[in-house]
Amino acid sequence: MINSVRNTVLAVINKNNYGYISPSDFNLFAKQAQLDLFDEYFVNYNQQINEENARVSGTGYADIKKGYEEVIDSFSVTANLAQNAANVYTLPADYYIINKVLCSSGGLFKGEAERVSQSKITLLSSSLLTAPSVIYPAYTLENNLITVLPTSFNGATDISSQYIRYPLDPKWTFSTISGGAPIFDQSQADYQDFELPIDDANDLVSKILQYAGISIREGDVYKFGQVEEQMQNQQQ
Amino acid sequence: MAYIDQKKYYTNDAVAPTDLNWGSYQYVSLTDIVNNFLLMFDGNHSLVNNEERYKILFHAKRGIQELNYDAFKEIKSLQLTVYSDLRFVLPSDYVNWVRISLFKNNTIRPLLENIQVQSALSYVQTATASFTYDAEDNVNRQTSTLDSSRQDGSLNSIYLNQANLDQNNNTPYNEDFYDTFIGARYGLNTETANMNPTFTIDKKAGVINFDSTMANEQCILEYISDGMEGGDNSLITLNKLFEEYIYAYIKYSVLNNKFGVQEYIINRAKKDKTALLRNAKIRLSNIHPGRLLMNMRGEDKWLK
């Protein structure tokens, strides 16, 4: 998908000889555009839920929320967390949202830890009825570390997490240059396609055009990208 | 969580305690309650949404506690010997008592609660009525004469009116023999008369105080707890007859404490909760023909 997106972007900005963006610039804009759209998925997902609650959303093929869920779930990862100290574990470097923290002991799953804010954890821990327990553990977040309670969860493989990771940085790669233009080569080791679904190609083009328009100081290109994006949003 | 097979139910797969699962099918665990609630009653399209799990857990436990107080009829019993200190320390999970009995000669004798004070603090006083203090400026205490007289048996009781005997248990020389027993063998206050020991519960001190006739006797305390099983969440259970009620209770408690919930929604949740509690209590009361018949058999009994 990345090559077709790049071709489309170049086709638009080459019109009237507006300019040219290098592969490295394209990769930067592509990364930024993908992150923008990735963020929007969560906002749109929430909006769809609100529409469902307002009973203005359908089921079956009209279930837009389901589509959003599928895309978000495609970034889901479940992995053990590295132990930093006794009951302190390091979050993965590529996490966007921690969805679940799963606690095990002796290889047996015990319970899902609940995230508790720093302002509540002291009160929670001192409550007889709700203090974190093996069945109902809790964790707090500080920097990229989580502290799991009760402290009996302190094994190297006791804590795993299901989280949504950031999409990998897209990279349009080439190996040869022909007629002054690089030739796309997806066999390169650092090649990385967009991870968003194909139907996001139009949005990616619009977003990249906006960044490219600013880069080459062409307001028309920027406005074109912006209008395209607004139209697509309205259709959704 | 899967249902256990019959072998595990009857034998716990030979793991001690082998009777662990007996009767377990009557109950639903706290874990199931919280899981089911979060799964079925909490979410984007539900009345309850975006609530922390610990709040659900709190309300679930509070609901179970409330049910234990009056609806469950799950009465625990503890038998202990009362020694010469005439005290029975309340069990660690004690919330309220149902009945206290003396077990003697293979007979259970329910005891009466003594409405009089049975135990008191006492401060050391000087001849000028002032108090003395220890190194930390706390007033010095001593065993009260009320306590000592109760323990040595010299405390008079309204529950078995004592005959007016001398210290050798003989009729005083200047008393008529029959007058000695007025108010004891004759003219008893039938409201309080009882030959068994009596007791008073000192809730703050966490003990049951008995009169001296209870020394070295067996006492059976029937009491209720709050079902929290010493804080072990994995042991907390709820009778299945109350399962629907506990969901309604949690839902009501959450909605009732949430800002901006319409009053009619709260009222609906409240009615649900109340109706389900009533249903569950009727179910648990187990009114069936066998029991009715048993009660009706007693109606022909002649009163003498």
Side-chain angles (χ1 to χ4, degrees):
Chain A
M1 183 166 84
I2 193 168
N3 194 39
S4 66
V5 168
R6 182 172 183 271
N7 289 341
T8 310
V9 168
L10 288 180
V12 173
I13 61 174
N14 278 339
K15 190 175 166 57
N16 300 326
N17 290 325
Y18 279 138
Y20 172 79
I21 55 170
S22 65
S24 59
D25 280 353
F26 173 79
N27 286 337
L28 285 175
F29 301 153
K31 176 188 174 184
Q32 199 58 44
Q34 183 171 246
L35 280 176
D36 285 350
L37 290 179
F38 181 71
D39 271 341
E40 281 178 20
Y41 266 99
F42 294 88
V43 178
N44 292 339
Y45 177 65
N46 184 49
Q47 192 180 340
Q48 280 302 315
I49 287 169
N50 291 337
E51 288 183 11
E52 274 193 13
N53 285 335
R55 302 194 67 81
V56 291
S57 177
T59 57
Y61 292 127
D63 191 350
I64 309 294
K65 185 191 79 173
K66 191 179 164 194
Y68 286 133
E69 274 177 346
E70 284 173 3
V71 174
I72 292 171
D73 282 345
S74 70
F75 292 94
S76 169
V77 177
T78 302
N80 276 335
L81 299 186
Q83 193 173 22
N84 181 278
N87 60 329
V88 181
Y89 295 82
T90 309
L91 290 174
D94 62 343
Y95 89 90
Y96 177 76
I97 283 179
I98 296 292
N99 194 34
K100 287 192 285 190
V101 170
L102 307 168
C103 301
S104 305
S105 185
L108 292 173
F109 173 70
K110 294 295 180 185
E112 183 183 334
E114 179 182 29
R115 184 181 180 280
V116 178
S117 65
Q118 295 284 0
S119 59
K120 290 279 186 188
I121 190 66
T122 315
L123 295 171
L124 190 80
S125 297
S126 57
S127 158
L128 267 184
L129 293 182
T130 60
S133 62
V134 173
I135 299 178
Y136 297 109
Y139 72 91
T140 53
L141 184 60
E142 195 166 2
N143 291 324
N144 67 332
L145 299 172
I146 62 167
T147 304
V148 182
L149 295 169
T151 53
S152 57
F153 291 111
N154 52 22
T157 57
D158 277 2
I159 307 298
S160 61
S161 173
Q162 183 265 321
Y163 64 95
I164 303 299
R165 65 170 174 80
Y166 277 107
L168 298 173
D169 294 349
K171 189 148 193 184
W172 186 90
T173 50
F174 64 98
S175 57
T176 55
I177 295 175
S178 170
I183 305 299
F184 178 56
D185 180 5
Q186 63 180 38
S187 64
Q188 295 294 308
D190 55 347
Y191 165 75
Q192 178 60 53
D193 200 356
F194 288 113
E195 291 199 286
L196 294 174
I198 295 172
D199 70 313
D200 280 327
N202 291 344
D203 292 316
L204 286 167
V205 169
S206 306
K207 287 274 184 197
I208 295 170
L209 278 174
Q210 288 175 52
Y211 290 120
I214 292 169
S215 172
I216 60 177
R217 296 186 183 181
E218 281 296 345
D220 287 346
V221 176
Y222 174 80
K223 280 178 188 166
F224 174 76
Q226 204 176 27
V227 171
E228 280 289 304
E229 189 187 359
Q230 283 168 357
M231 284 173 61
Q232 283 156 17
N233 286 343
Q234 281 170 6
Q235 284 169 4
Q236 286 171 358
Chain B
M1 188 65 74
Y3 286 102
I4 58 172
D5 58 37
Q6 287 190 305
K7 187 182 174 197
K8 189 170 177 65
Y9 175 81
Y10 286 113
T11 66
N12 197 25
D13 291 338
V15 177
T18 52
D19 59 355
L20 180 72
N21 298 313
W22 294 358
S24 60
Y25 200 70
Q26 299 166 83
Y27 299 95
V28 56
S29 69
L30 175 71
T31 318
D32 276 344
I33 292 165
V34 175
N35 277 355
N36 291 341
F37 187 88
L38 289 171
L39 205 56
M40 299 300 168
F41 298 92
D42 177 283
N44 290 325
H45 311 304
S46 306
L47 285 173
V48 178
N49 191 17
N50 288 342
E51 282 300 329
E52 288 89 351
R53 186 183 64 191
Y54 63 76
K55 287 190 182 174
I56 306 298
L57 180 65
F58 172 80
H59 291 305
K61 285 186 168 181
R62 282 292 303 117
I64 292 172
Q65 284 180 323
E66 290 294 328
L67 289 173
N68 270 279
Y69 298 151
D70 58 4
F72 274 171
K73 302 175 183 170
E74 298 211 351
I75 297 165
K76 296 185 170 189
S77 304
L78 177 67
Q79 180 181 341
L80 291 176
T81 304
V82 177
Y83 288 100
S84 54
D85 60 359
L86 302 173
R87 288 192 315 190
F88 184 115
V89 180
L90 298 175
S92 58
D93 56 348
Y94 170 92
V95 171
N96 202 1
W97 66 283
V98 177
R99 186 165 44 194
I100 296 171
S101 309
L102 163 68
F103 185 60
K104 190 173 183 179
N105 300 330
N106 294 325
T107 306
I108 298 171
R109 304 180 192 174
L111 303 183
L112 285 182
E113 186 178 16
N114 195 324
I115 56 169
Q116 290 182 315
V117 62
Q118 292 263 65
S119 180
L121 274 178
S122 180
Y123 295 153
V124 175
Q125 287 176 287
T126 64
T128 56
S130 59
F131 300 136
T132 62
Y133 300 91
D134 62 14
E136 291 168 352
D137 290 345
N138 293 316
V139 67
N140 288 314
R141 293 177 179 185
Q142 62 184 4
T143 304
S144 65
T145 50
L146 174 63
D147 276 298
S148 53
S149 64
R150 177 173 59 83
Q151 287 167 4
D152 65 21
S154 59
L155 179 66
N156 287 329
S157 165
I158 60 167
Y159 289 83
L160 184 63
N161 293 356
Q162 274 98 352
N164 187 20
L165 302 173
D166 64 15
Q167 57 190 357
N168 297 318
N169 280 342
N170 294 320
T171 303
Y173 71 93
N174 58 347
E175 286 281 345
D176 180 78
F177 178 79
Y178 294 102
D179 288 348
T180 305
F181 293 99
I182 290 174
R185 293 180 189 173
Y186 319 111
L188 274 176
N189 181 356
T190 49
E191 186 186 345
T192 57
N194 194 301
M195 69 169 289
N196 291 320
T198 58
F199 67 90
T200 306
I201 298 183
D202 190 340
K203 292 180 191 138
K204 276 288 178 189
V207 295
I208 305 169
N209 290 312
F210 291 94
D211 65 39
S212 60
T213 56
M214 193 64 182
N216 302 312
E217 300 286 0
Q218 294 290 313
C219 174
I220 301 173
L221 168 67
E222 293 166 80
Y223 68 101
I224 53 166
S225 183
D226 64 352
M228 289 297 104
E229 305 297 342
D232 187 344
N233 287 334
S234 65
L235 298 178
I236 298 173
T237 55
L238 174 81
N239 193 299
K240 278 180 178 169
L241 302 177
F242 288 87
E243 187 173 356
E244 198 59 30
Y245 165 75
I246 200 74
Y247 297 139
Y249 176 88
I250 300 169
K251 190 166 77 173
Y252 166 72
S253 301
V254 171
L255 292 172
N256 193 37
N257 289 296
K258 209 167 187 174
F259 174 76
V261 180
Q262 296 93 329
E263 202 58 33
Y264 72 91
I265 287 180
I266 296 172
N267 281 334
R268 192 169 72 196
K270 191 176 185 178
K271 280 179 187 169
D272 271 355
K273 173 182 79 92
T274 313
L276 286 166
L277 178 62
R278 204 177 301 126
N279 282 354
K281 277 184 173 176
I282 292 169
R283 282 178 183 166
L284 196 71
S285 65
N286 236 358
I287 301 170
H288 53 72
R291 284 198 172 173
L292 283 176
L293 192 65
M294 219 161 72
N295 290 337
M296 289 165 70
R297 275 181 189 146
E299 73 178 2
D300 293 334
K301 195 182 286 178
W302 282 37
L303 293 174
K304 292 179 182 176

PDB file of all heavy atoms in Angstrom, chain B residues 138-164:
ATOM      1  N   ASN B 138      -1.914   7.562  83.021  1.00  0.00           N
ATOM      2  CA  ASN B 138      -3.216   6.903  82.928  1.00  0.00           C
ATOM      3  C   ASN B 138      -3.635   6.505  84.328  1.00  0.00           C
ATOM      4  O   ASN B 138      -2.802   6.101  85.156  1.00  0.00           O
ATOM      5  CB  ASN B 138      -3.125   5.662  82.048  1.00  0.00           C
ATOM      6  CG  ASN B 138      -2.846   6.040  80.613  1.00  0.00           C
ATOM      7  OD1 ASN B 138      -3.433   6.966  80.071  1.00  0.00           O
ATOM      8  ND2 ASN B 138      -1.910   5.336  80.006  1.00  0.00           N
ATOM      9  N   VAL B 139      -4.924   6.590  84.556  1.00  0.00           N
ATOM     10  CA  VAL B 139      -5.419   6.262  85.887  1.00  0.00           C
ATOM     11  C   VAL B 139      -5.245   4.761  86.151  1.00  0.00           C
ATOM     12  O   VAL B 139      -5.415   3.940  85.248  1.00  0.00           O
ATOM     13  CB  VAL B 139      -6.898   6.718  86.025  1.00  0.00           C
ATOM     14  CG1 VAL B 139      -7.818   5.921  85.124  1.00  0.00           C
ATOM     15  CG2 VAL B 139      -7.359   6.642  87.463  1.00  0.00           C
ATOM     16  N   ASN B 140      -4.815   4.424  87.368  1.00  0.00           N
ATOM     17  CA  ASN B 140      -4.608   3.012  87.714  1.00  0.00           C
ATOM     18  C   ASN B 140      -5.946   2.305  87.867  1.00  0.00           C
ATOM     19  O   ASN B 140      -6.890   2.854  88.434  1.00  0.00           O
ATOM     20  CB  ASN B 140      -3.818   2.905  89.025  1.00  0.00           C
ATOM     21  CG  ASN B 140      -2.377   3.293  88.816  1.00  0.00           C
ATOM     22  OD1 ASN B 140      -1.748   2.860  87.853  1.00  0.00           O
ATOM     23  ND2 ASN B 140      -1.860   4.133  89.697  1.00  0.00           N
ATOM     24  N   ARG B 141      -5.984   1.084  87.352  1.00  0.00           N
ATOM     25  CA  ARG B 141      -7.232   0.328  87.402  1.00  0.00           C
ATOM     26  C   ARG B 141      -7.087  -0.861  88.327  1.00  0.00           C
ATOM     27  O   ARG B 141      -5.989  -1.303  88.623  1.00  0.00           O
ATOM     28  CB  ARG B 141      -7.587  -0.177  85.994  1.00  0.00           C
ATOM     29  CG  ARG B 141      -7.932   0.932  85.032  1.00  0.00           C
ATOM     30  CD  ARG B 141      -8.199   0.368  83.667  1.00  0.00           C
ATOM     31  NE  ARG B 141      -8.566   1.409  82.731  1.00  0.00           N
ATOM     32  CZ  ARG B 141      -8.941   1.160  81.492  1.00  0.00           C
ATOM     33  NH1 ARG B 141      -8.977  -0.064  81.033  1.00  0.00           N
ATOM     34  NH2 ARG B 141      -9.274   2.172  80.699  1.00  0.00           N
ATOM     35  N   GLN B 142      -8.239  -1.382  88.726  1.00  0.00           N
ATOM     36  CA  GLN B 142      -8.249  -2.594  89.546  1.00  0.00           C
ATOM     37  C   GLN B 142      -9.506  -3.390  89.198  1.00  0.00           C
ATOM     38  O   GLN B 142     -10.416  -2.869  88.547  1.00  0.00           O
ATOM     39  CB  GLN B 142      -8.255  -2.220  91.022  1.00  0.00           C
ATOM     40  CG  GLN B 142      -9.499  -1.421  91.422  1.00  0.00           C
ATOM     41  CD  GLN B 142      -9.472  -0.959  92.857  1.00  0.00           C
ATOM     42  OE1 GLN B 142      -8.497  -1.172  93.553  1.00  0.00           O
ATOM     43  NE2 GLN B 142     -10.532  -0.303  93.289  1.00  0.00           N
ATOM     44  N   THR B 143      -9.539  -4.627  89.639  1.00  0.00           N
ATOM     45  CA  THR B 143     -10.736  -5.445  89.421  1.00  0.00           C
ATOM     46  C   THR B 143     -11.863  -4.887  90.269  1.00  0.00           C
ATOM     47  O   THR B 143     -11.697  -4.637  91.471  1.00  0.00           O
ATOM     48  CB  THR B 143     -10.468  -6.903  89.829  1.00  0.00           C
ATOM     49  OG1 THR B 143      -9.333  -7.359  89.101  1.00  0.00           O
ATOM     50  CG2 THR B 143     -11.661  -7.792  89.510  1.00  0.00           C
ATOM     51  N   SER B 144     -12.990  -4.666  89.633  1.00  0.00           N
ATOM     52  CA  SER B 144     -14.101  -4.077  90.376  1.00  0.00           C
ATOM     53  C   SER B 144     -14.688  -5.106  91.338  1.00  0.00           C
ATOM     54  O   SER B 144     -14.602  -6.319  91.106  1.00  0.00           O
ATOM     55  CB  SER B 144     -15.180  -3.593  89.414  1.00  0.00           C
ATOM     56  OG  SER B 144     -15.741  -4.695  88.748  1.00  0.00           O
ATOM     57  N   THR B 145     -15.293  -4.626  92.376  1.00  0.00           N
ATOM     58  CA  THR B 145     -15.919  -5.554  93.320  1.00  0.00           C
ATOM     59  C   THR B 145     -17.102  -6.254  92.668  1.00  0.00           C
ATOM     60  O   THR B 145     -17.445  -7.375  93.038  1.00  0.00           O
ATOM     61  CB  THR B 145     -16.388  -4.806  94.577  1.00  0.00           C
ATOM     62  OG1 THR B 145     -17.145  -3.681  94.162  1.00  0.00           O
ATOM     63  CG2 THR B 145     -15.209  -4.354  95.407  1.00  0.00           C
ATOM     64  N   LEU B 146     -17.699  -5.592  91.675  1.00  0.00           N
ATOM     65  CA  LEU B 146     -18.782  -6.241  90.930  1.00  0.00           C
ATOM     66  C   LEU B 146     -18.248  -7.503  90.248  1.00  0.00           C
ATOM     67  O   LEU B 146     -18.839  -8.576  90.313  1.00  0.00           O
ATOM     68  CB  LEU B 146     -19.365  -5.271  89.892  1.00  0.00           C
ATOM     69  CG  LEU B 146     -20.403  -5.847  88.944  1.00  0.00           C
ATOM     70  CD1 LEU B 146     -21.642  -6.309  89.701  1.00  0.00           C
ATOM     71  CD2 LEU B 146     -20.789  -4.833  87.883  1.00  0.00           C
ATOM     72  N   ASP B 147     -17.095  -7.342  89.586  1.00  0.00           N
ATOM     73  CA  ASP B 147     -16.505  -8.490  88.900  1.00  0.00           C
ATOM     74  C   ASP B 147     -16.102  -9.575  89.890  1.00  0.00           C
ATOM     75  O   ASP B 147     -16.363 -10.762  89.667  1.00  0.00           O
ATOM     76  CB  ASP B 147     -15.280  -8.040  88.085  1.00  0.00           C
ATOM     77  CG  ASP B 147     -15.686  -7.502  86.730  1.00  0.00           C
ATOM     78  OD1 ASP B 147     -16.255  -8.270  85.948  1.00  0.00           O
ATOM     79  OD2 ASP B 147     -15.447  -6.303  86.473  1.00  0.00           O
ATOM     80  N   SER B 148     -15.452  -9.159  90.961  1.00  0.00           N
ATOM     81  CA  SER B 148     -14.965 -10.177  91.895  1.00  0.00           C
ATOM     82  C   SER B 148     -16.126 -10.896  92.571  1.00  0.00           C
ATOM     83  O   SER B 148     -16.081 -12.116  92.752  1.00  0.00           O
ATOM     84  CB  SER B 148     -14.013  -9.557  92.913  1.00  0.00           C
ATOM     85  OG  SER B 148     -14.616  -8.468  93.524  1.00  0.00           O
ATOM     86  N   SER B 149     -17.201 -10.153  92.885  1.00  0.00           N
ATOM     87  CA  SER B 149     -18.337 -10.827  93.524  1.00  0.00           C
ATOM     88  C   SER B 149     -19.059 -11.737  92.530  1.00  0.00           C
ATOM     89  O   SER B 149     -19.581 -12.787  92.890  1.00  0.00           O
ATOM     90  CB  SER B 149     -19.301  -9.812  94.133  1.00  0.00           C
ATOM     91  OG  SER B 149     -19.860  -9.015  93.123  1.00  0.00           O
ATOM     92  N   ARG B 150     -19.068 -11.334  91.262  1.00  0.00           N
ATOM     93  CA  ARG B 150     -19.670 -12.209  90.249  1.00  0.00           C
ATOM     94  C   ARG B 150     -18.846 -13.493  90.122  1.00  0.00           C
ATOM     95  O   ARG B 150     -19.386 -14.597  90.027  1.00  0.00           O
ATOM     96  CB  ARG B 150     -19.726 -11.484  88.897  1.00  0.00           C
ATOM     97  CG  ARG B 150     -20.268 -12.339  87.761  1.00  0.00           C
ATOM     98  CD  ARG B 150     -20.441 -11.506  86.517  1.00  0.00           C
ATOM     99  NE  ARG B 150     -19.193 -10.889  86.081  1.00  0.00           N
ATOM    100  CZ  ARG B 150     -18.275 -11.503  85.346  1.00  0.00           C
ATOM    101  NH1 ARG B 150     -18.449 -12.736  84.976  1.00  0.00           N
ATOM    102  NH2 ARG B 150     -17.158 -10.879  84.992  1.00  0.00           N
ATOM    103  N   GLN B 151     -17.521 -13.319  90.147  1.00  0.00           N
ATOM    104  CA  GLN B 151     -16.662 -14.481  89.943  1.00  0.00           C
ATOM    105  C   GLN B 151     -16.640 -15.417  91.155  1.00  0.00           C
ATOM    106  O   GLN B 151     -16.551 -16.630  91.000  1.00  0.00           O
ATOM    107  CB  GLN B 151     -15.241 -14.017  89.592  1.00  0.00           C
ATOM    108  CG  GLN B 151     -15.172 -13.471  88.167  1.00  0.00           C
ATOM    109  CD  GLN B 151     -13.897 -12.725  87.876  1.00  0.00           C
ATOM    110  OE1 GLN B 151     -12.996 -12.659  88.703  1.00  0.00           O
ATOM    111  NE2 GLN B 151     -13.809 -12.137  86.700  1.00  0.00           N
ATOM    112  N   ASP B 152     -16.757 -14.831  92.343  1.00  0.00           N
ATOM    113  CA  ASP B 152     -16.722 -15.742  93.502  1.00  0.00           C
ATOM    114  C   ASP B 152     -18.104 -16.221  93.891  1.00  0.00           C
ATOM    115  O   ASP B 152     -18.278 -16.951  94.877  1.00  0.00           O
ATOM    116  CB  ASP B 152     -16.003 -15.085  94.684  1.00  0.00           C
ATOM    117  CG  ASP B 152     -16.729 -13.863  95.236  1.00  0.00           C
ATOM    118  OD1 ASP B 152     -17.947 -13.756  95.000  1.00  0.00           O
ATOM    119  OD2 ASP B 152     -16.079 -13.021  95.870  1.00  0.00           O
ATOM    120  N   GLY B 153     -19.134 -15.800  93.138  1.00  0.00           N
ATOM    121  CA  GLY B 153     -20.470 -16.337  93.361  1.00  0.00           C
ATOM    122  C   GLY B 153     -21.272 -15.605  94.408  1.00  0.00           C
ATOM    123  O   GLY B 153     -22.400 -15.992  94.714  1.00  0.00           O
ATOM    124  N   SER B 154     -20.724 -14.535  94.956  1.00  0.00           N
ATOM    125  CA  SER B 154     -21.456 -13.816  96.008  1.00  0.00           C
ATOM    126  C   SER B 154     -22.442 -12.793  95.456  1.00  0.00           C
ATOM    127  O   SER B 154     -23.246 -12.231  96.204  1.00  0.00           O
ATOM    128  CB  SER B 154     -20.457 -13.113  96.943  1.00  0.00           C
ATOM    129  OG  SER B 154     -19.666 -12.210  96.215  1.00  0.00           O
ATOM    130  N   LEU B 155     -22.401 -12.574  94.160  1.00  0.00           N
ATOM    131  CA  LEU B 155     -23.298 -11.574  93.569  1.00  0.00           C
ATOM    132  C   LEU B 155     -24.724 -12.126  93.538  1.00  0.00           C
ATOM    133  O   LEU B 155     -24.965 -13.211  93.003  1.00  0.00           O
ATOM    134  CB  LEU B 155     -22.830 -11.248  92.137  1.00  0.00           C
ATOM    135  CG  LEU B 155     -23.669 -10.242  91.356  1.00  0.00           C
ATOM    136  CD1 LEU B 155     -23.590  -8.864  91.988  1.00  0.00           C
ATOM    137  CD2 LEU B 155     -23.204 -10.186  89.914  1.00  0.00           C
ATOM    138  N   ASN B 156     -25.632 -11.378  94.139  1.00  0.00           N
ATOM    139  CA  ASN B 156     -27.027 -11.824  94.116  1.00  0.00           C
ATOM    140  C   ASN B 156     -27.598 -11.675  92.718  1.00  0.00           C
ATOM    141  O   ASN B 156     -27.241 -10.774  91.971  1.00  0.00           O
ATOM    142  CB  ASN B 156     -27.856 -10.988  95.093  1.00  0.00           C
ATOM    143  CG  ASN B 156     -27.539 -11.353  96.523  1.00  0.00           C
ATOM    144  OD1 ASN B 156     -27.206 -12.512  96.802  1.00  0.00           O
ATOM    145  ND2 ASN B 156     -27.625 -10.386  97.415  1.00  0.00           N
ATOM    146  N   SER B 157     -28.509 -12.592  92.418  1.00  0.00           N
ATOM    147  CA  SER B 157     -29.060 -12.595  91.062  1.00  0.00           C
ATOM    148  C   SER B 157     -30.565 -12.437  91.121  1.00  0.00           C
ATOM    149  O   SER B 157     -31.218 -12.995  92.008  1.00  0.00           O
ATOM    150  CB  SER B 157     -28.696 -13.912  90.378  1.00  0.00           C
ATOM    151  OG  SER B 157     -29.484 -14.073  89.229  1.00  0.00           O
ATOM    152  N   ILE B 158     -31.111 -11.690  90.186  1.00  0.00           N
ATOM    153  CA  ILE B 158     -32.578 -11.599  90.117  1.00  0.00           C
ATOM    154  C   ILE B 158     -33.133 -12.785  89.333  1.00  0.00           C
ATOM    155  O   ILE B 158     -34.325 -12.950  89.208  1.00  0.00           O
ATOM    156  CB  ILE B 158     -33.027 -10.284  89.438  1.00  0.00           C
ATOM    157  CG1 ILE B 158     -32.490 -10.212  88.017  1.00  0.00           C
ATOM    158  CG2 ILE B 158     -32.664  -9.091  90.269  1.00  0.00           C
ATOM    159  CD1 ILE B 158     -33.131  -9.121  87.181  1.00  0.00           C
ATOM    160  N   TYR B 159     -32.230 -13.584  88.777  1.00  0.00           N
ATOM    161  CA  TYR B 159     -32.680 -14.679  87.931  1.00  0.00           C
ATOM    162  C   TYR B 159     -32.976 -15.938  88.726  1.00  0.00           C
ATOM    163  O   TYR B 159     -33.703 -16.786  88.296  1.00  0.00           O
ATOM    164  CB  TYR B 159     -31.641 -14.949  86.827  1.00  0.00           C
ATOM    165  CG  TYR B 159     -31.683 -13.809  85.849  1.00  0.00           C
ATOM    166  CD1 TYR B 159     -30.987 -12.643  86.090  1.00  0.00           C
ATOM    167  CD2 TYR B 159     -32.497 -13.888  84.735  1.00  0.00           C
ATOM    168  CE1 TYR B 159     -31.051 -11.581  85.229  1.00  0.00           C
ATOM    169  CE2 TYR B 159     -32.586 -12.827  83.864  1.00  0.00           C
ATOM    170  CZ  TYR B 159     -31.868 -11.672  84.110  1.00  0.00           C
ATOM    171  OH  TYR B 159     -31.969 -10.624  83.266  1.00  0.00           O
ATOM    172  N   LEU B 160     -32.358 -16.084  89.851  1.00  0.00           N
ATOM    173  CA  LEU B 160     -32.742 -17.158  90.763  1.00  0.00           C
ATOM    174  C   LEU B 160     -32.692 -16.540  92.154  1.00  0.00           C
ATOM    175  O   LEU B 160     -31.635 -16.415  92.753  1.00  0.00           O
ATOM    176  CB  LEU B 160     -31.769 -18.326  90.658  1.00  0.00           C
ATOM    177  CG  LEU B 160     -32.160 -19.518  91.515  1.00  0.00           C
ATOM    178  CD1 LEU B 160     -33.504 -20.088  91.054  1.00  0.00           C
ATOM    179  CD2 LEU B 160     -31.099 -20.574  91.457  1.00  0.00           C
ATOM    180  N   ASN B 161     -33.867 -16.105  92.567  1.00  0.00           N
ATOM    181  CA  ASN B 161     -33.875 -15.373  93.826  1.00  0.00           C
ATOM    182  C   ASN B 161     -33.317 -16.232  94.949  1.00  0.00           C
ATOM    183  O   ASN B 161     -33.791 -17.346  95.191  1.00  0.00           O
ATOM    184  CB  ASN B 161     -35.300 -14.940  94.176  1.00  0.00           C
ATOM    185  CG  ASN B 161     -35.796 -13.908  93.179  1.00  0.00           C
ATOM    186  OD1 ASN B 161     -35.047 -13.488  92.288  1.00  0.00           O
ATOM    187  ND2 ASN B 161     -37.046 -13.525  93.306  1.00  0.00           N
ATOM    188  N   GLN B 162     -32.313 -15.728  95.556  1.00  0.00           N
ATOM    189  CA  GLN B 162     -31.651 -16.526  96.574  1.00  0.00           C
ATOM    190  C   GLN B 162     -32.449 -16.551  97.879  1.00  0.00           C
ATOM    191  O   GLN B 162     -33.069 -15.554  98.264  1.00  0.00           O
ATOM    192  CB  GLN B 162     -30.247 -15.975  96.874  1.00  0.00           C
ATOM    193  CG  GLN B 162     -29.213 -16.529  95.937  1.00  0.00           C
ATOM    194  CD  GLN B 162     -28.917 -15.559  94.811  1.00  0.00           C
ATOM    195  OE1 GLN B 162     -29.596 -14.553  94.684  1.00  0.00           O
ATOM    196  NE2 GLN B 162     -27.925 -15.857  94.006  1.00  0.00           N
ATOM    197  N   ALA B 163     -32.400 -17.688  98.487  1.00  0.00           N
ATOM    198  CA  ALA B 163     -32.991 -17.790  99.814  1.00  0.00           C
ATOM    199  C   ALA B 163     -32.127 -16.987 100.783  1.00  0.00           C
ATOM    200  O   ALA B 163     -30.924 -16.810 100.563  1.00  0.00           O
ATOM    201  CB  ALA B 163     -33.033 -19.251 100.236  1.00  0.00           C
ATOM    202  N   ASN B 164     -32.774 -16.534 101.832  1.00  0.00           N
ATOM    203  CA  ASN B 164     -32.068 -15.693 102.788  1.00  0.00           C
ATOM    204  C   ASN B 164     -31.318 -16.576 103.788  1.00  0.00           C
ATOM    205  O   ASN B 164     -31.732 -16.749 104.928  1.00  0.00           O
ATOM    206  CB  ASN B 164     -33.093 -14.787 103.487  1.00  0.00           C
ATOM    207  CG  ASN B 164     -32.426 -13.774 104.377  1.00  0.00           C
ATOM    208  OD1 ASN B 164     -31.233 -13.492 104.210  1.00  0.00           O
ATOM    209  ND2 ASN B 164     -33.168 -13.252 105.336  1.00  0.00           N
TER     210      ASN B 164
END
